């Protein structure tokens, strides 16, 4: 029989269950509090200060940060950079010892050719005709006034400011020149560089009124010859070319500019010297001649490691070595010739004005006397180990370019005791010239008298009227007048008898310090 459960018994059972649950909850709560205090006690032992309770932390301050727009950084202005001296580097490429070079001819008879001429089919015929006429030297462009080098520089990571227009492999060009038995000379324009001046204005000459100095406003062309960054780049180019199989490297425009408002020019070396003079009152400030001499010395150190010859072109007027001319160009023959194998005065009678104080008065068309006298002065001022080899005119601008004109130049070169000559034609057009050179060489070998000379050239120097001292270039350290100078043209289109890029002489007021010569480079 099932036992009957009374209501009061159910109440007691329910109460017991409730008490058990309450007891269990209290136990769990008490254990949690004990664990919390234990953890806090452990943290207190590890740190000097008690832990920060959540209730004590203030609500963080929310700051709205505006979104920053990405903008290009402003261009670096050299004038705002703290001025410091830059060093000329002395590390160059490894010298290759497997190159065989030709020695310079005893009497150099050369032609200048453009880089583009070497890529034309007519180059071979020119070499053949040149060989038959007695020519033994070819000067070809590797870097021109525009600033391009004509070989690939994709692997030349050290070149930072150079632009390339690769049209040939130098070794291939030299191999062809050598195959005709010719001496190969690589011409490299130095401080005149349109491309680099345009794209890297920080390498230009500074203007004391702000910005950069330019020979012609709006036409960047000249780099600062005294800036080591400029020099380092050129030394690297020379090192690369010297590692090829060229026999000689020829420096052109290795000078300071002489045209334009030179009174506003600020050269790097003068800023350096001004700082050093403040620190040392006995410090001797340098002149332009010191900069050019030291640079040429650096070049000589590079080419010597490759056993390559080195030469340089100079202004014709510099042959007289008057102090004002030296200080304007920096071309001191006695200094730079110490580090050169060959020196090339560029003597073109067409680039002198008729009132240059030379006798006879028609020397522009009959150049024997001016070429001879200029070469005499250059030889006298040059180091005995440096051969003088002039650039002679092979174009008809302003002159009657005839056999007599060519013979006058050649005879003056021989009479001055020079080591040869190089003909210059901007278009590399030498058809007539080579015919006359061939006739000249045949007559010299046979010991016969040549017809066609300007008769006055047959007279001795004693028979000629006395030569008045030539006027000089503007002393740009003290004046800012512009000398009447223009550069020899590079390439011309059409008739090479009238170079398209040669500008007429500048109109200037009479001044005893301004030369009557139109400069040639």
């Amino acid at each position: 029989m099932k036992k009957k459960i009374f209501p009061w018994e159910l109440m007691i059972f329910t109460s017991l269950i409730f008490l058990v649950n309450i007891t269990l909850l209290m136990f769990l709560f008490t254990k949690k509090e004990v664990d919390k205090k234990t953890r806090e006690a452990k943290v207190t032992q590890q740190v000097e200060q008690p832990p920060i309770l959540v209730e004590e932390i203030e609500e963080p301050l929310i700051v709205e940060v505006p979104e920053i727009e990405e903008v290009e950084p402003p261009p670096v202005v050299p004038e705002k950079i703290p001025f410091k001296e830059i060093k000329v580097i002395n590390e160059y490429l490894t010298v290759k010892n497997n190159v065989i070079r030709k020695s310079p001819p005893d009497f150099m008879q050369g032609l200048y050719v453009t880089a583009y001429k070497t890529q034309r089919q007519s180059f071979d015929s020119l070499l053949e005709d040149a060989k038959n006429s007695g020519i033994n030297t070819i000067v070809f462009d590797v870097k021109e006034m525009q600033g391009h080098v004509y070989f690939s520089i994709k692997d030349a990571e050290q070149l930072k400011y150079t632009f390339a227009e690769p049209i040939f492999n130098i070794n291939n060009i030299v191999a062809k020149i050598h195959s005709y038995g010719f001496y190969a000379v690589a011409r490299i324009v130095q401080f005149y560089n349109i491309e680099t001046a345009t794209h890297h204005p920080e390498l230009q000459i500074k203007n004391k009124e702000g910005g950069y100095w330019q020979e012609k406003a709006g036409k960047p062309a000249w780099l600062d010859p005294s800036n080591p960054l400029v020099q380092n780049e050129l030394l690297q180019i020379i090192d690369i070319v010297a590692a090829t199989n060229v026999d000689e490297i020829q420096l052109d425009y290795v000078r300071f500019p002489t045209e334009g408002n030179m009174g506003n020019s600020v050269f790097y070396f003068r800023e350096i010297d001004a700082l050093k003079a403040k620190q040392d009152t006995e410090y001797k400030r340098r002149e332009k001649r010191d900069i050019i001499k030291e640079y040429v010395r650096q070049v000589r150190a590079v080419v010597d490691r490759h056993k390559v010859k080195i030469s340089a072109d100079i202004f014709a007027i510099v042959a007289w070595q008057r102090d004002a001319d030296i200080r304007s160009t920096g071309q001191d023959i006695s200094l730079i010739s110490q580090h050169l194998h060959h020196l090339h005065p560029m003597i073109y009678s067409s680039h002198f004005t008729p009132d240059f104080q030379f006798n006879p008065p028609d020397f522009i068309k009959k150049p024997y006397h001016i070429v001879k006298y200029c070469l005499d002065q250059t030889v006298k001022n040059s180091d005995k180990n440096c051969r003088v080899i002039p650039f002679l005119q092979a174009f008809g601008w302003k002159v009657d370019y005839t056999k007599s004109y060519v013979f006058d130049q050649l005879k003056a070169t021989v009479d001055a005791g020079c080591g040869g000559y190089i003909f210059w034609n901007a278009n590399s057009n030498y058809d007539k010239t080579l015919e006359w050179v061939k006739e000249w060489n045949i007559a010299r070998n046979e010991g016969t008298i040549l017809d066609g000379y300007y008769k006055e050239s047959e007279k001795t120097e004693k028979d000629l009227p006395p030569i008045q001292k030539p006027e000089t270039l503007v002393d740009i350290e003290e004046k800012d007048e512009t000398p009447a100078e223009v550069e020899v043209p590079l390439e011309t289109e059409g008739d090479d008898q009238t170079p398209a890029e040669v500008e007429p002489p500048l109109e200037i007021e009479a001044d005893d310090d301004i030369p009557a010569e139109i400069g040639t480079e």
Side-chain angles (χ1 to χ4, degrees), residues 22-36:
I22 290 297
T23 303
L24 181 61
L25 290 174
M26 290 180 65
F27 173 78
L28 294 175
F29 179 80
T30 302
K31 185 176 185 303
K32 183 177 180 180
E33 287 295 320
V34 171
D35 291 342
K36 179 179 179 181

Side-chain angles (χ1 to χ4, degrees), residues 434-447:
L434 290 178
E435 293 178 9
W436 299 329
V437 168
K438 183 176 182 179
E439 185 177 342
W440 162 269
N441 281 314
I442 291 175
R444 285 187 66 214
N445 292 335
E446 295 177 350

Side-chain angles (χ1 to χ4, degrees), residues 93 151-160 233 236 240:
L93 301 178
F151 58 90
S152 175
I153 58 172
K154 61 181 181 180
D155 297 326
E157 298 179 356
Q158 72 273 31
L159 296 180
K160 300 179 181 179
E233 190 82 355
Q236 295 286 6
I240 292 172

Side-chain angles (χ1 to χ4, degrees), residues 206 244 278 291 327 344 379 397 404 456 477 503 519:
K206 293 182 183 179
T244 67
K278 288 183 179 179
I291 302 301
R327 285 192 287 131
H344 307 298
V379 171
W397 185 61
S404 297
E456 191 73 27
E477 312 299 330
E503 299 181 2

Side-chain angles (χ1 to χ4, degrees), residues 68-235:
I68 301 176
E69 297 182 1
E70 293 186 3
V71 296
E72 294 184 1
V76 177
V77 181
E79 288 80 2
K80 295 183 179 180
I81 298 176
F83 197 78
K84 62 180 181 179
E85 185 173 4
I86 303 171
K87 300 297 182 183
V88 177
I89 58 176
N90 288 307
E91 297 178 0
Y92 303 100
L93 301 178
T94 303
V95 177
K96 297 180 180 179
N97 296 318
N98 59 344
V99 176
I100 299 176
R101 307 195 189 282
K102 292 180 66 66
S103 299
D106 292 335
F107 186 78
M108 185 178 292
Q109 299 189 73
L111 300 180
Y112 157 81
V113 297
T114 67
Y116 301 105
K117 182 67 173 181
T118 66
Q119 300 305 295
R120 297 173 184 154
Q121 292 183 350
S122 59
F123 185 47
D124 282 285
S125 60
L126 173 62
L127 294 177
E128 185 66 33
D129 292 342
K131 182 178 181 179
N132 292 333
S133 70
I135 294 296
N136 54 33
T137 301
I138 296 295
V139 179
F140 68 100
D141 283 329
V142 169
K143 178 177 175 291
E144 249 296 352
M145 293 169 65
Q146 186 65 32
H148 295 123
V149 293
Y150 294 117
F151 58 90
S152 175
I153 58 172
K154 61 181 181 180
D155 297 326
E157 298 179 356
Q158 72 273 31
L159 296 180
K160 300 179 181 179
Y161 310 108
T162 301
F163 294 84
E165 183 187 347
I167 64 174
F168 57 48
N169 177 292
I170 296 178
N171 283 328
N172 292 342
I173 297 300
V174 175
K176 176 175 287 191
I177 294 173
H178 282 171
S179 71
Y180 284 86
F182 294 151
Y183 183 71
V185 181
R187 175 176 175 260
I188 304 178
V189 171
Q190 299 296 290
F191 304 120
Y192 194 107
N193 188 322
I194 296 173
E195 284 292 325
T196 299
T198 300
H199 294 91
H200 296 283
E202 69 275 13
L203 300 183
Q204 293 184 56
I205 300 160
K206 293 182 183 179
N207 191 317
K208 70 179 182 181
E209 296 180 352
Y212 301 100
W213 178 92
Q214 293 171 359
E215 192 173 63
K216 297 178 181 178
K219 295 183 178 180
W222 279 94
L223 306 179
D224 188 337
S226 65
N227 188 331
L229 294 179
V230 174
Q231 294 185 7
N232 288 339
E233 190 82 355
L234 288 167
L235 290 171

